[in-house]
Amino acid sequence: MDKKNALRAGALAAGTTLMMLLMSSPAFALTRDDGDDPGKGLSVIETLGLFVVAPIALFVIIAGLVMALDKSHKKKDVTSSNIRTKAEAKA
């Protein structure tokens, strides 16, 4: 029964991939739509800045703000800070 399910899953994955490849043909990109007015392309530096540096910078800024404004380190758990773990047994 496992081989039958694996074959069915493989056929489904292959069929889905084939349909996606056929539907997203690059030939559709050759015809322009009415009112289509593309601007000039981005340079390599602009592309890296926009899609690599900007998200990393945003992540660092948000993480820094969260760490700076975090107030949980000022709270002290009074119930567990005064528990002694060493036994004081006298023989």
Side-chain angles (χ1 to χ4, degrees):
M1 200 64 164
D2 286 333
K3 288 182 182 180
K4 190 175 184 180
N5 285 340
L7 185 63
R8 184 179 295 153
L12 181 67
T16 304
T17 304
L18 181 64
M19 288 304 295
M20 288 177 64
L21 285 172
L22 289 174
M23 293 304 293
S24 64
S25 174
F28 291 134
L30 296 176
T31 58
R32 293 256 182 229
D33 291 332
D34 290 337
D36 199 11
D37 189 21
K40 67 178 187 87
L42 296 175
S43 70
V44 174
I45 304 280
E46 290 171 334
T47 304
L48 288 175
L50 186 62
F51 294 108
V52 176
V53 175
I56 291 174
L58 260 158
F59 175 79
V60 168
I61 289 169
I62 292 171
L65 285 171
V66 167
M67 288 171 51
L69 299 175
D70 184 26
K71 298 191 190 304
S72 66
H73 64 277
K74 293 180 182 176
K75 294 179 183 176
K76 194 169 189 176
D77 191 7
V78 293
T79 58
S80 63
S81 63
N82 58 5
I83 295 175
R84 296 183 186 166
T85 56
K86 190 178 271 190
E88 298 178 12
K90 293 182 182 179

